[in-house]
Amino acid sequence: MSAQRAIEPTGLDQLAEAFWDAYLASNPTAATTFGDHRYDDRLEDHSPGAMADSAAAFRSLRAAVLALSDATDWVTRAELLEEIDGQIVGLEAGLETWSVDPLNGPQVALPNLPQVQVADTPERAAAMVERWRAMGPYIDQETDNLRLGLASGRVATIEPVRRTIDQLRALDDLPLEDWPLLAPLGDDRSSWSTVARDGFARDLRAAVRDIVRPAFGRYRELIEQEIRPVARSSDRPGIANVAGGEAAYRQFIRLHVTRAIEPDVIHRTGLDEVARIDAEWATLGPRVLGTPDLASTLDALRSNPTLYFSTGDEIVSSAERSLARARAAIPAWFGRLPRADCEVAPIPDHEAPDSTIAYYLWPAPGGERPGRYYVNTHEPTTRPRYEAEALAFHESIPGHHLQIALAQERADLPAFRRNLGSTAFAEGWGLYAERLADEMGLYSGDTDRLGILSYDAWRACRLVVDTGIHALGWSRRQAIEFMTAHTALGLNNIENEVDRYIVWPGQALGYKLGQLEFLRLRAEATDRLGPGFDIRTFHDVALAEGAVSLETLSRIVHTWLDRGGRA
């Protein structure tokens, strides 16, 4: 979609399709993840000119949507505007000019591409080679953007810089054949001719050796020699310390929470939730561990080696058992069930040391790839057994996999509604699912219920810590100490999490605020419908329209309630 071409007002379906095409063209690696292979040979264009053109094009599209005065599908219209606004915020926020990201920077995102891109035909292999060759200019573009930030006095904070340098050094130390980007050479291409197979291997190796590795070397040189010496102290890691940061933070809150809420209001909500959960610790901790208070309960959870895994295989096996139990239980709690399966996989070795505890990768439409629940098996003796079940239910079933696969399988919805959506909805649902799983009888015992409290406290602390860092002047150490005092997360996980909040302002707020909205709406439905309340119907109504904004979710549920709870 060109910024110079005005979009004529037309029907909502056509505008939704235009948005989806523009989104995929602007985000070609996301297109590959979604199973659309038209852009498998290219990467995102993050040059200032291209990003400005894309933002202008999305603004033109937004104007066309607003011009529709007779749109009958109010949900699609509302969500289309939400998604367009989100794209504009991302394109205009300027994070690419100063943020150095150890979680999703090019040194992580690019080596992860073989997880979603295959070379199972000569045509797809050729596209892969072209995309791999494009990584050199892409990395140089990221380098140029960071130099723009330096020139304007905008610079990253030191700890994410250190982590990113360590990742780049680890990549540089790998022998060529061990690079994750060469993993596709191990795929079975027995149906190819020998000439085609050998040519693909030769070209892919050459791309990594001659283009990608040198570009990463230039990127590392910039970060080590130019950014690290002037990086902001960990005493002031928040976005408010960057020019324009206070306004940007409010934009990110609106983007991820889908509501305009002041940072100090979110901060107070977080403190209230932390206090509520601390009281639950005071009841469950003594019963399970015989501890007298919160501090001793958290210390026992962190220090007892029997409460931790011994091997990575144990972590994977535990996740698989939890997923199997949940898969068997969901028919009693949901009327609509997804067709797509979910499987467990370890987070790749190159990513695991600085990655979060786990994450979910949605299925590719059409059945090319099932949903995947990735677990972090790095340093398994630091991974608590008592948190494993809550984590599995959040990321797989009844959490992310169930919600996302159901949305993807709504063939009658526009593509953007099947595949995109609100952080607050998706992550709020995942957190809601952790306690729902206890109602479903999925936890093995009280020890595993300690994981519910730890994870609920973790998400409540996010409201306090994210706003503390980005709006209230907190230091990195202050954030770590607060989370250490109120969650049972291991110190390595707390440090990774705090650094995540530093580089992704506002994203962590959606979890707890979304969960609170699901709980509020369920309580209201229970009160209004009384004996007529049916949990299966409530869940089907809440999930029926995809990962919508919290305002749209509230309107959907209230419309259902106004009909007397009839689906």
Side-chain angles (χ1 to χ4, degrees):
M1 185 169 68
S2 169
Q4 279 68 44
R5 178 170 59 84
I7 296 179
E8 296 298 326
T10 183
L12 185 61
D13 289 346
Q14 289 74 29
L15 291 174
E17 185 177 351
F19 166 77
W20 185 238
D21 285 343
Y23 173 83
L24 295 178
S26 297
N27 299 275
T29 55
T32 300
T33 302
F34 290 128
D36 186 324
H37 299 291
R38 289 178 293 167
Y39 309 105
D40 280 1
D41 61 344
R42 67 194 76 170
L43 293 166
E44 287 73 11
D45 187 346
H46 287 165
S47 65
M51 294 179 73
D53 284 350
S54 292
F58 281 118
R59 287 189 181 281
S60 178
L61 182 57
R62 187 181 195 278
V65 177
L66 288 173
L68 288 176
S69 58
D70 59 348
T72 56
D73 185 350
W74 71 268
V75 176
T76 292
R77 185 179 187 275
E79 296 310 300
L80 185 53
L81 290 171
E82 284 281 348
E83 292 296 342
I84 292 171
D85 286 346
Q87 292 303 305
I88 294 169
V89 168
L91 289 163
E92 295 185 343
L95 285 182
E96 74 283 352
T97 66
W98 63 270
S99 182
V100 175
D101 186 353
L103 292 170
N104 200 40
Q107 75 285 353
V108 173
L110 297 182
N112 278 352
L113 280 173
Q115 296 179 46
V116 297
Q117 184 166 358
V118 296
D120 54 353
T121 68
E123 293 76 18
R124 288 188 179 180
M128 179 177 284
V129 169
E130 288 305 305
R131 176 173 271 175
W132 269 223
R133 287 171 175 160
M135 289 180 184
Y138 174 87
I139 297 166
D140 287 339
Q141 204 172 71
E142 298 297 297
T143 303
D144 291 343
N145 285 334
L146 289 174
R147 281 204 169 95
L148 286 175
L150 280 173
S152 65
R154 294 155 65 90
V155 66
T157 190
I158 186 62
E159 192 58 36
V161 168
R162 289 194 187 109
R163 287 174 179 263
T164 299
I165 290 171
D166 288 344
Q167 292 169 334
L168 289 165
R169 285 175 176 167
L171 272 178
D172 194 46
D173 289 343
L174 284 176
L176 178 66
E177 293 300 319
D178 291 342
W179 267 59
L181 286 167
L182 293 183
L185 298 184
D187 294 346
D188 179 18
R189 293 176 298 279
S190 56
S191 61
W192 293 23
S193 69
T194 301
V195 172
R197 185 167 61 248
D198 291 347
F200 169 60
R202 181 190 64 246
D203 291 345
L204 205 68
R205 283 193 184 92
V208 174
R209 181 187 64 237
D210 301 334
I211 298 174
V212 182
R213 289 189 75 157
F216 270 129
R218 294 188 291 273
Y219 185 64
R220 173 183 158 187
E221 183 176 314
L222 165 78
I223 296 174
E224 276 190 322
Q225 297 182 12
E226 298 182 45
I227 291 179
R228 181 170 60 180
V230 295
R232 283 181 288 120
S233 162
S234 290
D235 289 339
R236 48 190 190 94
I239 194 173
N241 295 289
V242 177
E246 290 186 18
Y249 188 49
R250 283 175 167 79
Q251 284 184 301
F252 286 125
I253 290 174
R254 179 65 184 80
L255 170 65
H256 293 298
V257 178
T258 65
R259 282 177 171 154
I261 310 175
E262 285 298 304
D264 62 319
V265 173
I266 296 173
H267 193 81
R268 287 196 302 272
T269 300
L271 290 173
D272 290 344
E273 279 292 288
V274 169
R276 178 187 61 79
I277 298 163
D278 282 353
E280 290 192 63
W281 281 118
T283 300
L284 190 58
R287 186 167 80 230
V288 179
L289 301 171
T291 48
D293 54 29
L294 174 60
S296 58
T297 296
L298 299 182
D299 182 63
L301 290 172
R302 291 193 182 104
S303 61
N304 185 342
T306 66
L307 296 176
Y308 289 76
F309 289 103
S310 300
T311 68
D313 287 343
E314 286 183 350
I315 297 174
V316 173
S317 296
S318 173
E320 289 174 339
R321 289 193 302 271
S322 297
L323 175 57
R325 291 201 306 278
R327 189 184 288 118
I330 55 173
W333 294 81
F334 298 86
R336 290 179 59 238
L337 302 176
R339 295 187 298 274
D341 198 9
C342 183
E343 64 183 20
V344 177
I347 291 175
D349 291 343
H350 72 273
E351 177 187 359
D354 294 298
S355 183
T356 188
I357 300 168
Y359 59 81
Y360 172 75
L361 181 65
W362 48 85
E368 259 185 31
R369 183 188 68 250
R372 285 187 188 144
Y373 165 34
Y374 283 93
V375 290
N376 200 328
T377 59
H378 178 70
E379 295 184 352
T381 56
T382 69
R383 310 291 174 184
R385 295 178 185 272
Y386 58 85
E387 292 176 347
E389 293 187 356
L391 184 62
F393 302 137
H394 177 108
E395 300 291 346
S396 60
I397 296 172
H400 286 328
H401 176 72
L402 185 141
Q403 179 261 308
I404 291 171
L406 283 175
Q408 283 189 331
E409 292 167 10
R410 278 286 307 272
D412 58 317
L413 294 182
F416 85 90
R417 287 185 54 197
R418 296 196 302 270
N419 294 292
L420 302 178
S422 150
T423 300
F425 185 104
E427 297 298 353
W429 175 261
L431 184 51
Y432 169 83
E434 293 175 23
R435 288 194 181 250
L436 174 65
D438 199 20
E439 296 181 66
M440 296 169 66
L442 298 181
Y443 286 93
S444 299
D446 275 348
T447 300
D448 302 283
R449 291 185 181 91
L450 291 169
I452 302 176
L453 294 189
S454 181
Y455 278 179
D456 207 14
W458 170 25
R459 277 43 168 262
C461 284
R462 284 176 167 176
L463 301 186
V464 179
V465 167
D466 196 277
T467 53
I469 289 171
H470 293 295
L472 303 178
W474 280 29
S475 68
R476 179 176 182 268
R477 172 52 49 192
Q478 191 174 355
I480 289 171
E481 288 175 351
F482 185 88
M483 294 191 72
T484 302
H486 295 283
T487 78
L489 291 174
L491 184 60
N492 62 329
N493 289 329
I494 289 173
E495 291 177 344
N496 283 349
E497 284 296 311
V498 168
D499 289 335
R500 166 187 169 177
Y501 312 151
I502 290 170
V503 299
W504 292 352
Q507 190 272 347
L509 302 175
Y511 297 68
K512 171 54 71 170
L513 294 177
Q515 179 215 34
L516 291 175
E517 184 67 2
F518 277 108
L519 291 171
R520 184 188 71 79
L521 291 170
R522 177 173 164 178
E524 183 177 350
T526 303
D527 182 60
R528 285 182 58 176
L529 298 179
F533 176 78
D534 176 66
I535 191 63
R536 295 168 84 246
T537 305
F538 172 77
H539 287 153
D540 288 352
V541 168
L543 298 180
E545 300 293 339
V548 296
S549 70
L550 296 187
E551 290 300 323
T552 296
L553 171 63
S554 178
R555 185 173 168 185
I556 288 168
V557 172
H558 284 113
T559 299
W560 168 66
L561 290 175
D562 291 342
R563 294 197 304 264
R566 295 185 297 275

